[in-house]
């Protein structure tokens, strides 16, 4: 059976950075790329906030740069989806279909997936005005009008961030109140160019080749139900993320939202020799640069664990 010192699951900034560090530490890591090589970042248009790219960078190029950097030091990067894991004991087992690999350490960098409403038009306008990350894409909507869907802390944070860049921000909230913390709500209500549309649901996005508007329904099913149209240039989803942890739920400690539990900014999980990096263990920051940093930490800890 094939054996490796370090197996990395996931190919976003966390996984590739872990592969760079692990290969430079002579761990000869094997990395499985998973369903979406390059990770969530590849769903955005341009990356302008990753240090080292002063002119900004196309996400596929940045991820390919990271991938090649890992390969340069000998990381074995494979396409394939991990289907099952056995992580307890000193030798871990990882299945990729029918194939089984043994590993001394495992770095989980499977990321998280933004939740979408499930509308056909979200897919039709993907990369053409639909985004799930204001910090990544907000800049492209300077002085324009955008909508943010959701009423939680993320939606409030994204709306206030976008309000600093955009002419006007609508918040589309399905309930008659915000779920967000008081302080975030206050920020929203104190910001002049944010208009909160309570009890509105999105029916569809409209526009010629890119988002130009949204059809909403107000108080659906109630006697005063009515249709509302708003003109917008961008549509931001902020209805939560789902960490990709289904494979590990039986063994790895997860929090109530399904994120892997780590402590004090360290990558150790509750299972010895298993480390978590990137968004899979980070509900708060979710940035490429923080994911990359945690991939570095995970590889360093894997090396220490093997030496120890
Ligand atoms: P939340 O789950 O807290 O909020 C999701 C929001 O999206 C809710 O308002 C929810 O509505 C709405 N929503 C969900 N599904 C749909 C749908 N299908 N259609 C319309 N609206 C929908 O997620 P967040 O990402 O905001 O936050 C996740 C966690 O991270 C929270 O614990 C939050 O406190 C934390 N966080 C903290 C921050 C901070 O402290 N600075 C910043 C960002 C996040 P409804 O209320 O009706 O369910």
């Amino acid at each position: 059976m094939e054996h490796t010192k370090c197996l990395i699951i996931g190919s976003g900034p966390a996984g590739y950075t872990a592969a760079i560090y692990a290969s430079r530490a002579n761990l000869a890591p094997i990395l499985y790329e998973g369903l979406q090589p390059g990770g969530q970042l590849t769903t955005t248009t341009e990356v302008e906030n990753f240090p080292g790219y002063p002119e900004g960078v196309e996400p596929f190029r940045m991820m390919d740069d990271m991938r090649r950097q890992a390969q340069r030091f000998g990381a074995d990067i494979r396409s394939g989806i991990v289907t099952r894991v056995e992580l307890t004991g000193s030798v871990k087992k990882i299945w990729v279909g029918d194939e089984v690999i043994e590993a001394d350490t495992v770095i989980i960098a499977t990321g998280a997936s933004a939740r979408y409403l499930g509308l056909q038009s979200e897919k039709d306008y993907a990369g053409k005005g639909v985004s799930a990350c204001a910090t990544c894409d907000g800049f492209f909507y300077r002085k324009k009008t955008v909508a943010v869907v959701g009423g939680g802390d993320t939606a409030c944070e994204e709306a206030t961030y976008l309000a600093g860049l955009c002419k006007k921000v609508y918040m589309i909230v399905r309930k008659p109140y915000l779920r967000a913390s008081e302080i975030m709500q206050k920020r929203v209500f104190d910001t002049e160019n944010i208009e909160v549309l309570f009890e509105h649901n999105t029916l569809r996005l409209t526009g010629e080749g890119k988002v130009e508007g949204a059809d909403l329904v107000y108080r659906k099913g109630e006697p005063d139900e009515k249709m509302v149209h708003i003109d917008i240039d961008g549509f931001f989803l902020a209805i939560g993320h789902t960490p990709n942890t289904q494979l590990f739920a039986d063994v790895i400690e997860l929090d109530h939202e399904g994120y892997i539990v780590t402590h004090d900014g360290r990558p150790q999980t509750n299972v010895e020799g298993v480390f978590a990096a990137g968004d899979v263990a980070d509900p708060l920051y979710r940035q490429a640069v923080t994911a990359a940093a945690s991939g570095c930490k995970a590889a360093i800890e894997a090396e220490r664990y093997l030496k120890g």
Side-chain angles (χ1 to χ4, degrees):
M1 194 181 297
E2 191 175 16
H3 185 103
T4 177
K5 286 184 195 156
C6 179
L7 190 130
I8 301 165
I9 313 174
S11 59
Y16 284 148
T17 306
I20 293 169
Y21 274 77
S23 48
R24 291 190 83 249
N26 282 333
L27 303 188
I30 296 174
L31 179 150
Y32 278 97
E33 289 188 312
L35 272 177
Q36 191 178 31
Q40 270 191 88
L41 202 70
T42 57
T43 62
T44 77
T45 347
E46 196 178 351
V47 182
E48 292 188 327
N49 53 7
F50 198 90
Y53 293 100
E55 311 301 330
V57 60
E58 201 263 320
F60 281 102
R61 199 198 118 201
M62 186 172 109
M63 297 321 297
D64 192 52
D65 283 351
M66 286 193 193
R67 186 179 199 275
R68 286 188 298 115
Q69 194 170 351
Q71 283 173 322
R72 179 179 155 208
F73 300 109
D76 181 350
I77 294 176
R78 302 178 182 180
S79 52
I81 295 160
V82 173
T83 46
R84 191 180 146 205
V85 292
E86 256 178 40
L87 299 176
T88 46
S90 58
V91 178
K92 306 7 174 140
K93 281 187 178 170
I94 290 88
W95 279 259
V96 180
D98 296 336
E99 216 178 300
V100 191
I101 300 179
E102 288 184 344
D104 298 323
T105 62
V106 172
I107 295 176
I108 302 173
T110 47
S113 306
R115 287 194 205 123
Y116 285 80
L117 295 171
L119 304 174
Q120 179 56 41
S121 49
E122 278 172 326
K123 291 184 194 138
D124 297 343
Y125 295 105
K128 295 171 188 153
V130 174
S131 168
C133 179
T135 341
C136 321
D137 296 332
F139 194 67
F140 304 111
Y141 298 90
R142 268 167 303 162
K143 301 197 169 71
K144 295 192 170 171
T145 300
V146 299
V148 176
V149 189
D153 280 323
T154 303
C156 291
E157 203 169 69
E158 305 230 323
T160 38
Y161 173 78
L162 289 165
L165 298 167
C166 302
K167 189 169 72 187
K168 165 137 193 167
V169 179
Y170 291 103
M171 279 184 78
I172 304 171
V173 181
R174 64 181 175 182
K175 292 221 173 101
Y177 56 86
L178 294 174
R179 175 203 290 230
S181 53
E182 288 296 324
I183 185 165
M184 295 303 292
Q185 294 197 29
K186 186 170 182 324
R187 267 182 221 162
V188 163
F189 295 131
D190 286 349
T191 306
E192 260 181 27
N193 59 341
I194 299 179
E195 182 181 346
V196 185
L197 302 173
F198 286 111
E199 296 184 82
H200 283 72
N201 278 289
T202 311
L203 291 180
R204 70 185 70 81
L205 301 170
T206 59
E208 291 285 319
K210 62 179 172 51
V211 171
E212 290 171 346
D215 290 332
L216 315 177
V217 56
Y218 172 68
R219 284 173 63 81
K220 188 172 166 37
E222 299 298 325
D224 55 349
E225 172 181 325
K226 66 173 181 200
M227 304 297 288
V228 176
H229 180 85
I230 53 172
D231 290 328
I232 50 170
D233 304 290
F235 184 77
F236 288 83
L237 279 308
I239 58 170
H241 284 75
T242 309
N244 302 321
T245 49
Q246 298 81 346
L247 267 183
F248 317 107
D250 294 343
V251 226
I252 302 285
E253 188 190 349
L254 307 179
D255 71 10
H256 66 285
E257 290 175 290
Y259 288 90
I260 294 179
V261 174
T262 57
H263 298 283
D264 306 323
R266 297 166 67 99
Q268 280 86 350
T269 68
N270 62 313
V271 176
E272 282 207 358
V274 179
F275 305 90
D279 288 13
V280 76
D282 174 14
L284 281 185
Y285 301 107
R286 299 197 295 252
Q287 299 300 300
V289 69
T290 50
S294 68
C296 155
K297 291 187 206 174
I300 290 174
E301 291 296 347
E303 186 193 2
R304 286 184 185 158
Y305 169 84
L306 289 169
K307 278 190 181 145

